[in-house]
């Protein structure tokens, strides 16, 4: 039995390894590196090597591999499994079928729920900067600040839900359907398992009602909870410094970050 509690580590993007000590720390944490920014031909070779390593680790070494479902969590918390990740995972298998190669990995979705995201104000700021300048790209200093903020600042309560393996659900899919359609169907299975296993906190319910102008979830929070979240929200907005600061836009973006997991959960009911 492959226990999901014995992970080989997370996958780190090359552009986040800004300083040598960061790469050393990542490797000491039993993580492996995903190269980005290489040519298409090199990316294919890199993907084949990574996929073969993951298949070897799971099938031969009997270890688990923890891997993000996309190239980093969606900034608005609207998490969706990336098809290219599934295609990468399949190419290291020994079968001539994408679905069967993925089933060999015995995929177990994991839902991670943070009460607070320390980087919410940085993400909202980036949303406005990209809105105002479509060519805006974060610099290394921005990435380092995001990592520092995320590691050192308060996340409140954090909950992990390790779901059941999805092979039974994958076995019901038509393995002969068109490749991209099959990838989308597999991604939907993974997403559904993650969505229905989120853990929610008062801030999620308050954010949903504030964003939508409703009282739909008022039984899940009291006046004190609402007041505390509104004060937290304003405090995060106050940290954002922009010459043309659009506070209404920024507020909406942060509310979306806290309400989207709940919104996605509702689709599974």
């Amino acid at each position: 039995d492959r226990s999901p509690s014995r992970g080989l580590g997370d996958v780190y993007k090359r552009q986040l390894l800004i300083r040598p000590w960061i790469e050393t720390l990542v490797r000491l944490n039993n993580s492996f590196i995903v190269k980005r920014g290489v040519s298409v031909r090199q990316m294919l070779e890199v993907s084949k090597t990574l996929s073969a390593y993951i298949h070897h680790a799971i099938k031969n070494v009997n270890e688990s591999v923890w891997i993000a479902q996309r190239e980093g969590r969606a900034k608005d918390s609207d998490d969706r499994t990336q098809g290219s990740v599934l295609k990468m995972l399949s190419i290291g298998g020994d079968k001539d079928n994408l679905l069967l190669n993925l089933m060999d990995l015995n995929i177990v979705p994991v839902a991670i729920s943070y009460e607070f995201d320390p980087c919410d104000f940085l993400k909202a700021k980036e949303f406005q900067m990209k809105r105002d300048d479509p060519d805006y790209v974060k610099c290394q200093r921005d990435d380092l600040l995001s990592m520092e903020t995320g590691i050192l600042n308060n996340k409140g309560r954090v909950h992990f839900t390790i779901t059941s393996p999805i092979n039974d659900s994958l076995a019901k899919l038509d393995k002969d359907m068109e490749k991209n359609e099959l990838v989308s169907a597999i991604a939907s299975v993974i997403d559904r398992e993650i969505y229905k296993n989120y853990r929610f906190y008062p801030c999620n319910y308050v954010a949903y009602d504030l964003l939508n102008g409703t009282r739909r979830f008022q039984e899940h929070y009291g006046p004190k909870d609402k007041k505390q979240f509104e004060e937290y929200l304003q405090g995060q907005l106050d940290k954002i410094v922009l010459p043309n600061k659009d506070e209404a836009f920024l507020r909406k973006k942060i509310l979306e970050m806290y309400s989207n997991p709940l919104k996605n959960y509702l689709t599974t009911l």
Side-chain angles (χ1 to χ4, degrees), residues 69-70 73-74 76-81 109-115 158-163 190-201 204-205 257-269:
Q69 68 190 116
R70 58 181 299 122
R73 186 161 190 168
D76 60 359
S77 299
D78 186 11
D79 295 317
R80 299 187 186 278
T81 300
V110 179
I112 307 176
S113 307
Y114 298 94
E115 185 174 14
V158 180
H159 187 269
F160 284 68
T161 302
I162 299 174
T163 72
I190 295 172
D191 290 343
R192 180 178 174 81
E193 286 302 305
I194 292 174
Y195 296 162
K196 72 182 185 180
N197 284 287
Y198 281 138
R199 172 68 59 89
F200 299 111
Y201 308 100
N204 301 113
Y205 297 114
M257 294 174 204
Y258 287 95
S259 62
N260 274 337
L262 178 56
K263 179 181 175 182
N264 285 333
Y265 166 76
L266 295 175
T267 66
T268 69
L269 300 179

Side-chain angles (χ1 to χ4, degrees), residues 214-255:
T214 66
R215 296 181 180 179
R216 180 174 181 179
F217 294 104
Q218 62 181 343
E219 70 272 16
H220 293 285
Y221 59 87
K224 183 179 178 181
D225 296 316
K226 185 176 181 182
K227 182 175 183 292
Q228 287 178 339
F229 180 70
E230 288 179 323
E231 290 175 348
Y232 168 82
L233 175 59
Q234 189 58 53
Q236 296 300 90
L237 290 171
D238 290 343
K239 295 177 183 178
I240 301 174
V241 178
L242 286 171
N244 55 336
K245 184 174 177 179
D246 185 345
E247 188 152 324
F249 174 83
L250 296 167
R251 182 178 186 273
K252 179 175 180 289
K253 286 300 177 183
I254 294 180
L255 288 177

Side-chain angles (χ1 to χ4, degrees), residues 1-3 6 8 30 52-65:
D1 182 33
R2 302 179 189 120
S3 170
R6 298 174 61 228
L8 285 175
N30 223 14
Y53 170 72
I54 291 173
H55 278 265
H56 168 74
I58 292 174
K59 292 188 288 186
N60 300 328
V61 185
N62 203 33
E63 283 278 11
S64 293
V65 173

Side-chain angles (χ1 to χ4, degrees), residues 136-161:
Y136 168 77
V137 178
K138 285 202 304 182
C139 64
Q140 283 192 345
R141 182 179 177 184
D142 294 325
D143 283 328
L144 191 59
L145 176 60
S146 293
M147 285 195 293
E148 178 185 341
T149 303
I151 291 171
L152 298 180
N153 291 351
N154 177 45
K155 296 181 178 67
R157 289 169 284 183
V158 180
H159 187 269
F160 284 68
T161 302

Side-chain angles (χ1 to χ4, degrees), residues 55 85-90 97-107 167 170 183 186:
H55 278 265
V85 172
L86 296 179
K87 291 176 182 178
M88 179 277 292
L89 288 173
S90 74
N97 185 275
L98 181 145
L99 179 61
L100 296 179
N101 282 335
L102 289 178
M103 290 178 68
D104 278 348
L105 297 178
N106 195 34
I107 295 172
N167 274 1
L170 297 185
V183 168
I186 296 169

